[in-house]
Amino acid sequence: SCRTKKDHGRGAMERFCRRTSVQVDYSVGKTMKGFTLVEILVAIAIVAMVGVILALIFANTLRGSSKAQILSVIKQNGQAALGTMDNTIRNADNVICVSGNTLAVVKNGTYTRFRFQAPIGANGYIESENLSDYAQTICSDLSVSPVILTNSDPKTGVSVTNGLFTRDQSSGYKDTITVSFDLNGGVQAPEVISGQIDAVKFQTTIQ
């Protein structure tokens, strides 16, 4: 704005202009609002619940996958071992002895002995051993260089329990040999998984 001022000392009129700056606030009715403590706590609780649900889903998926893998290993080992024993016994010239956890047969002068070993601090397993010489104690002699027919790894393998050979010598009939055993997961398999798996029974009967 400008105004005129009279200077009485000089008798002259001087014009003075004074500029003024005006600041205008164009924000009308604008207010800032944040989250309340209750809203923040509710959001945290929801996120935590979603996290727990996702973790459970992930854990169950892994558990189901591991369970399926253990069952697959059990079936593969059981069928392979049972098939080997069934084929050897069925094609043998003679059954030499049957004694609980041990059986011996002969084919073309070669003796084959199968034995179930119980799980004592390690996986139970099935062993096979070829012998060139006959001995009356063939079913009770200690194994020398056996071949393990089942996966004996304590974590990823299988454990044999309740292994049994039986011989039925009914009069008038051929001898019948029954081979039976149970398979579980390895003795060091995660308990949360192995505890959900029942032992799988394998059995065959040979005449």
PDB file of all heavy atoms in Angstrom, residues 45-64:
ATOM      1  N   ALA A  45      -2.325 -58.368  15.579  1.00  0.00           N
ATOM      2  CA  ALA A  45      -2.941 -59.656  15.912  1.00  0.00           C
ATOM      3  C   ALA A  45      -3.350 -60.414  14.653  1.00  0.00           C
ATOM      4  O   ALA A  45      -3.161 -61.628  14.548  1.00  0.00           O
ATOM      5  CB  ALA A  45      -4.157 -59.429  16.817  1.00  0.00           C
ATOM      6  N   ILE A  46      -3.905 -59.702  13.676  1.00  0.00           N
ATOM      7  CA  ILE A  46      -4.329 -60.337  12.424  1.00  0.00           C
ATOM      8  C   ILE A  46      -3.130 -60.890  11.665  1.00  0.00           C
ATOM      9  O   ILE A  46      -3.151 -62.020  11.172  1.00  0.00           O
ATOM     10  CB  ILE A  46      -5.100 -59.332  11.553  1.00  0.00           C
ATOM     11  CG1 ILE A  46      -6.439 -58.968  12.225  1.00  0.00           C
ATOM     12  CG2 ILE A  46      -5.350 -59.898  10.163  1.00  0.00           C
ATOM     13  CD1 ILE A  46      -7.201 -57.870  11.527  1.00  0.00           C
ATOM     14  N   VAL A  47      -2.078 -60.090  11.591  1.00  0.00           N
ATOM     15  CA  VAL A  47      -0.859 -60.547  10.900  1.00  0.00           C
ATOM     16  C   VAL A  47      -0.281 -61.781  11.583  1.00  0.00           C
ATOM     17  O   VAL A  47       0.157 -62.741  10.929  1.00  0.00           O
ATOM     18  CB  VAL A  47       0.185 -59.420  10.852  1.00  0.00           C
ATOM     19  CG1 VAL A  47       1.519 -59.942  10.323  1.00  0.00           C
ATOM     20  CG2 VAL A  47      -0.303 -58.276   9.960  1.00  0.00           C
ATOM     21  N   ALA A  48      -0.288 -61.782  12.935  1.00  0.00           N
ATOM     22  CA  ALA A  48       0.242 -62.931  13.681  1.00  0.00           C
ATOM     23  C   ALA A  48      -0.582 -64.181  13.422  1.00  0.00           C
ATOM     24  O   ALA A  48      -0.035 -65.274  13.234  1.00  0.00           O
ATOM     25  CB  ALA A  48       0.271 -62.607  15.172  1.00  0.00           C
ATOM     26  N   MET A  49      -1.909 -64.042  13.389  1.00  0.00           N
ATOM     27  CA  MET A  49      -2.779 -65.191  13.133  1.00  0.00           C
ATOM     28  C   MET A  49      -2.553 -65.757  11.743  1.00  0.00           C
ATOM     29  O   MET A  49      -2.472 -66.977  11.554  1.00  0.00           O
ATOM     30  CB  MET A  49      -4.244 -64.778  13.314  1.00  0.00           C
ATOM     31  CG  MET A  49      -4.654 -64.501  14.746  1.00  0.00           C
ATOM     32  SD  MET A  49      -6.348 -63.917  14.878  1.00  0.00           S
ATOM     33  CE  MET A  49      -7.226 -65.328  14.221  1.00  0.00           C
ATOM     34  N   VAL A  50      -2.431 -64.888  10.768  1.00  0.00           N
ATOM     35  CA  VAL A  50      -2.173 -65.342   9.388  1.00  0.00           C
ATOM     36  C   VAL A  50      -0.831 -66.070   9.319  1.00  0.00           C
ATOM     37  O   VAL A  50      -0.697 -67.108   8.660  1.00  0.00           O
ATOM     38  CB  VAL A  50      -2.194 -64.152   8.414  1.00  0.00           C
ATOM     39  CG1 VAL A  50      -1.732 -64.583   7.027  1.00  0.00           C
ATOM     40  CG2 VAL A  50      -3.593 -63.554   8.337  1.00  0.00           C
ATOM     41  N   GLY A  51       0.181 -65.530  10.018  1.00  0.00           N
ATOM     42  CA  GLY A  51       1.498 -66.174  10.034  1.00  0.00           C
ATOM     43  C   GLY A  51       1.439 -67.569  10.639  1.00  0.00           C
ATOM     44  O   GLY A  51       2.055 -68.496  10.119  1.00  0.00           O
ATOM     45  N   VAL A  52       0.710 -67.724  11.749  1.00  0.00           N
ATOM     46  CA  VAL A  52       0.578 -69.030  12.391  1.00  0.00           C
ATOM     47  C   VAL A  52      -0.117 -70.020  11.468  1.00  0.00           C
ATOM     48  O   VAL A  52       0.299 -71.181  11.337  1.00  0.00           O
ATOM     49  CB  VAL A  52      -0.194 -68.897  13.721  1.00  0.00           C
ATOM     50  CG1 VAL A  52      -0.547 -70.279  14.275  1.00  0.00           C
ATOM     51  CG2 VAL A  52       0.631 -68.123  14.741  1.00  0.00           C
ATOM     52  N   ILE A  53      -1.179 -69.577  10.810  1.00  0.00           N
ATOM     53  CA  ILE A  53      -1.915 -70.461   9.889  1.00  0.00           C
ATOM     54  C   ILE A  53      -1.021 -70.923   8.743  1.00  0.00           C
ATOM     55  O   ILE A  53      -0.985 -72.101   8.387  1.00  0.00           O
ATOM     56  CB  ILE A  53      -3.169 -69.749   9.358  1.00  0.00           C
ATOM     57  CG1 ILE A  53      -4.167 -69.524  10.501  1.00  0.00           C
ATOM     58  CG2 ILE A  53      -3.817 -70.560   8.239  1.00  0.00           C
ATOM     59  CD1 ILE A  53      -5.348 -68.661  10.127  1.00  0.00           C
ATOM     60  N   LEU A  54      -0.278 -69.992   8.160  1.00  0.00           N
ATOM     61  CA  LEU A  54       0.620 -70.348   7.054  1.00  0.00           C
ATOM     62  C   LEU A  54       1.715 -71.308   7.515  1.00  0.00           C
ATOM     63  O   LEU A  54       2.086 -72.239   6.798  1.00  0.00           O
ATOM     64  CB  LEU A  54       1.246 -69.075   6.465  1.00  0.00           C
ATOM     65  CG  LEU A  54       0.293 -68.138   5.714  1.00  0.00           C
ATOM     66  CD1 LEU A  54       1.027 -66.890   5.249  1.00  0.00           C
ATOM     67  CD2 LEU A  54      -0.334 -68.857   4.523  1.00  0.00           C
ATOM     68  N   ALA A  55       2.238 -71.087   8.732  1.00  0.00           N
ATOM     69  CA  ALA A  55       3.271 -71.975   9.259  1.00  0.00           C
ATOM     70  C   ALA A  55       2.730 -73.389   9.469  1.00  0.00           C
ATOM     71  O   ALA A  55       3.414 -74.373   9.168  1.00  0.00           O
ATOM     72  CB  ALA A  55       3.814 -71.421  10.576  1.00  0.00           C
ATOM     73  N   LEU A  56       1.501 -73.505   9.972  1.00  0.00           N
ATOM     74  CA  LEU A  56       0.889 -74.814  10.170  1.00  0.00           C
ATOM     75  C   LEU A  56       0.664 -75.526   8.848  1.00  0.00           C
ATOM     76  O   LEU A  56       0.906 -76.732   8.723  1.00  0.00           O
ATOM     77  CB  LEU A  56      -0.441 -74.655  10.922  1.00  0.00           C
ATOM     78  CG  LEU A  56      -0.345 -74.266  12.402  1.00  0.00           C
ATOM     79  CD1 LEU A  56      -1.731 -74.009  12.969  1.00  0.00           C
ATOM     80  CD2 LEU A  56       0.358 -75.366  13.188  1.00  0.00           C
ATOM     81  N   ILE A  57       0.194 -74.778   7.857  1.00  0.00           N
ATOM     82  CA  ILE A  57      -0.027 -75.370   6.530  1.00  0.00           C
ATOM     83  C   ILE A  57       1.293 -75.882   5.959  1.00  0.00           C
ATOM     84  O   ILE A  57       1.382 -76.986   5.417  1.00  0.00           O
ATOM     85  CB  ILE A  57      -0.662 -74.345   5.582  1.00  0.00           C
ATOM     86  CG1 ILE A  57      -2.088 -74.006   6.048  1.00  0.00           C
ATOM     87  CG2 ILE A  57      -0.685 -74.869   4.147  1.00  0.00           C
ATOM     88  CD1 ILE A  57      -2.738 -72.893   5.263  1.00  0.00           C
ATOM     89  N   PHE A  58       2.341 -75.069   6.089  1.00  0.00           N
ATOM     90  CA  PHE A  58       3.655 -75.454   5.573  1.00  0.00           C
ATOM     91  C   PHE A  58       4.186 -76.689   6.293  1.00  0.00           C
ATOM     92  O   PHE A  58       4.706 -77.622   5.669  1.00  0.00           O
ATOM     93  CB  PHE A  58       4.625 -74.290   5.747  1.00  0.00           C
ATOM     94  CG  PHE A  58       6.002 -74.539   5.201  1.00  0.00           C
ATOM     95  CD1 PHE A  58       6.215 -74.664   3.833  1.00  0.00           C
ATOM     96  CD2 PHE A  58       7.083 -74.671   6.057  1.00  0.00           C
ATOM     97  CE1 PHE A  58       7.487 -74.892   3.334  1.00  0.00           C
ATOM     98  CE2 PHE A  58       8.356 -74.912   5.573  1.00  0.00           C
ATOM     99  CZ  PHE A  58       8.556 -75.020   4.200  1.00  0.00           C
ATOM    100  N   ALA A  59       4.038 -76.717   7.634  1.00  0.00           N
ATOM    101  CA  ALA A  59       4.531 -77.859   8.418  1.00  0.00           C
ATOM    102  C   ALA A  59       3.776 -79.132   8.063  1.00  0.00           C
ATOM    103  O   ALA A  59       4.368 -80.204   7.928  1.00  0.00           O
ATOM    104  CB  ALA A  59       4.402 -77.562   9.910  1.00  0.00           C
ATOM    105  N   ASN A  60       2.451 -79.028   7.902  1.00  0.00           N
ATOM    106  CA  ASN A  60       1.652 -80.205   7.549  1.00  0.00           C
ATOM    107  C   ASN A  60       2.002 -80.716   6.162  1.00  0.00           C
ATOM    108  O   ASN A  60       1.998 -81.923   5.906  1.00  0.00           O
ATOM    109  CB  ASN A  60       0.157 -79.863   7.620  1.00  0.00           C
ATOM    110  CG  ASN A  60      -0.328 -79.721   9.054  1.00  0.00           C
ATOM    111  OD1 ASN A  60       0.243 -80.316   9.968  1.00  0.00           O
ATOM    112  ND2 ASN A  60      -1.366 -78.932   9.260  1.00  0.00           N
ATOM    113  N   THR A  61       2.303 -79.784   5.255  1.00  0.00           N
ATOM    114  CA  THR A  61       2.700 -80.194   3.901  1.00  0.00           C
ATOM    115  C   THR A  61       4.010 -80.963   3.938  1.00  0.00           C
ATOM    116  O   THR A  61       4.143 -82.020   3.308  1.00  0.00           O
ATOM    117  CB  THR A  61       2.849 -78.957   2.996  1.00  0.00           C
ATOM    118  OG1 THR A  61       1.593 -78.254   2.948  1.00  0.00           O
ATOM    119  CG2 THR A  61       3.241 -79.372   1.583  1.00  0.00           C
ATOM    120  N   LEU A  62       4.994 -80.440   4.676  1.00  0.00           N
ATOM    121  CA  LEU A  62       6.275 -81.133   4.802  1.00  0.00           C
ATOM    122  C   LEU A  62       6.107 -82.482   5.484  1.00  0.00           C
ATOM    123  O   LEU A  62       6.708 -83.483   5.086  1.00  0.00           O
ATOM    124  CB  LEU A  62       7.264 -80.267   5.589  1.00  0.00           C
ATOM    125  CG  LEU A  62       7.795 -79.012   4.895  1.00  0.00           C
ATOM    126  CD1 LEU A  62       8.747 -78.274   5.817  1.00  0.00           C
ATOM    127  CD2 LEU A  62       8.504 -79.370   3.590  1.00  0.00           C
ATOM    128  N   ARG A  63       5.261 -82.505   6.529  1.00  0.00           N
ATOM    129  CA  ARG A  63       5.049 -83.750   7.267  1.00  0.00           C
ATOM    130  C   ARG A  63       4.396 -84.801   6.377  1.00  0.00           C
ATOM    131  O   ARG A  63       4.783 -85.970   6.384  1.00  0.00           O
ATOM    132  CB  ARG A  63       4.169 -83.470   8.485  1.00  0.00           C
ATOM    133  CG  ARG A  63       4.039 -84.622   9.450  1.00  0.00           C
ATOM    134  CD  ARG A  63       3.215 -84.197  10.657  1.00  0.00           C
ATOM    135  NE  ARG A  63       3.810 -83.057  11.316  1.00  0.00           N
ATOM    136  CZ  ARG A  63       3.202 -82.343  12.260  1.00  0.00           C
ATOM    137  NH1 ARG A  63       1.970 -82.654  12.633  1.00  0.00           N
ATOM    138  NH2 ARG A  63       3.806 -81.328  12.828  1.00  0.00           N
ATOM    139  N   GLY A  64       3.414 -84.374   5.589  1.00  0.00           N
ATOM    140  CA  GLY A  64       2.753 -85.304   4.682  1.00  0.00           C
ATOM    141  C   GLY A  64       3.697 -85.830   3.619  1.00  0.00           C
ATOM    142  O   GLY A  64       3.677 -87.009   3.270  1.00  0.00           O
TER     143      GLY A  64
END
